[in-house]
Amino acid sequence: MTQVERDGAGFVVPAILLAEAFGMTESDVRESMRIGALTSICEAGVGTDAGRWRLTFRHTNRACRFTVDEAGTILSSSRFPVRDRSSDLES
């Protein structure tokens, strides 16, 4: 599995990982992030999860999550459906 890079207090996830997760090209990933259609959140673990981070990405009705350690090594990953928030904007 590809390594995630540490960037100060945050992380840099290779576009290829997100492209594979969402069935997109790397160029589509970059464009979707630029226009805000692909979003992310980084959560730091506490207690027994200290030293781990959960990086979650959302695009339309899908999400992808990577759990990484402080070096950026991917410990686990998952993909799952989510509610499409763009439909909330139309209401």
Side-chain angles (χ1 to χ4, degrees), residues 31-84:
E31 178 64 11
S32 293
M33 292 191 93
R34 188 186 69 73
I35 65 172
L38 195 157
T39 60
S40 64
I41 187 167
C42 176
E43 302 168 280
V46 295
T48 59
D49 289 320
R52 295 177 184 219
W53 285 262
R54 189 166 56 193
L55 313 175
T56 305
F57 298 84
R58 289 180 63 130
H59 185 263
T60 62
N61 64 346
R62 301 289 303 160
C64 175
R65 179 173 292 150
F66 301 100
T67 302
V68 299
D69 66 13
E70 58 193 43
T73 302
I74 298 172
L75 304 173
S76 67
S77 66
S78 60
R79 299 174 195 168
F80 48 94
V82 293
R83 192 167 119 214
D84 187 349

Side-chain angles (χ1 to χ4, degrees), residues 13-30:
V13 177
I16 188 66
L17 287 179
L18 299 174
E20 291 171 358
F22 292 108
M24 306 166 78
T25 66
E26 290 179 59
S27 178
D28 289 340
V29 166
R30 289 182 186 95

